[in-house]
Each structure stands twice: as structure tokens, then as C-alpha cells.
Amino acid sequence: MKHTLAITLSLTLLAVAAPQGASAACYADYKAKQDNPLKLHYGVAELTGACAKKAAKAELTPRLARDGWTLLNVLSVFGDDGLQERKESAGTYFLRF
């Protein structure tokens, strides 16, 4: 009886802990610019670090700079639930950077 109880308890603890170990996807929507001539774009990018605006800014600034873009601001960070509603607005800059 004790053995069965121990196994059941262990399996329950594993089931509860498993979702906490998996990290949810995180995205940021942002605005960026290029100069001479002035170009602006709105985009959506997947984040690999912390899911917070400050972390998104630090992660996106060098990514965008590699292609000559300057990050203007991070509008928001969100999960999978907000991804599809932003796809059309981001156009070619949807998950590009």
C-alpha cells in the first residue's frame, strides 16, 4: 500500500511540475525605422529571452541593426494567443527578425 501511494504521489508531482518546465512562446510587436530615405515598419518578432518589454528591446535592437534598422519602441509582448491577429498588420515583417 505504501509503495502504491508513493508511486501515485510521485507521478502526481511530475504531472504538476511538467508544465512549469516548458516555456511558452513569447513575441513582441515593435516599430522600427531607417534613415536616408526615411522608412518605417511595424513588425512582430519571436523572443528567445525573457518575455518582458525591456528584455525585448535589448534582444531586438541588435537584430534589427544588422539590417540597418533602428528600433523605435516595443509596443507589447504577448504569447501565441496574440500572434495571428498581428500577422496581417506586420506583413513582410511578421517574424522576420
Side-chain angles (χ1 to χ4, degrees):
M1 181 71 175
K2 286 184 179 181
H3 183 66
T4 303
L5 182 60
I7 291 173
T8 303
L9 182 58
S10 295
L11 290 174
T12 303
L13 289 173
L14 285 173
V16 170
Q20 294 173 351
S23 62
C26 182
Y27 305 91
D29 59 344
Y30 64 89
K31 291 183 180 180
K33 73 169 186 159
Q34 281 183 334
D35 292 320
N36 298 324
L38 179 63
K39 295 180 190 176
L40 301 170
H41 86 251
Y42 165 80
V44 174
E46 185 170 13
L47 302 176
T48 58
C51 197
K53 278 182 155 183
K54 187 175 181 180
K57 183 177 179 181
E59 187 173 331
L60 291 175
T61 297
R63 277 198 223 170
L64 291 162
R66 283 191 292 266
D67 281 358
W69 291 96
T70 301
L71 179 67
L72 295 173
N73 64 339
V74 173
L75 302 170
S76 64
V77 293
F78 54 93
D80 288 327
D81 56 332
L83 194 57
Q84 287 306 309
E85 68 189 58
R86 292 168 171 89
K87 185 174 183 175
E88 187 177 332
S89 295
T92 60
Y93 297 103
F94 181 75
L95 303 179
R96 180 173 176 182
F97 293 99

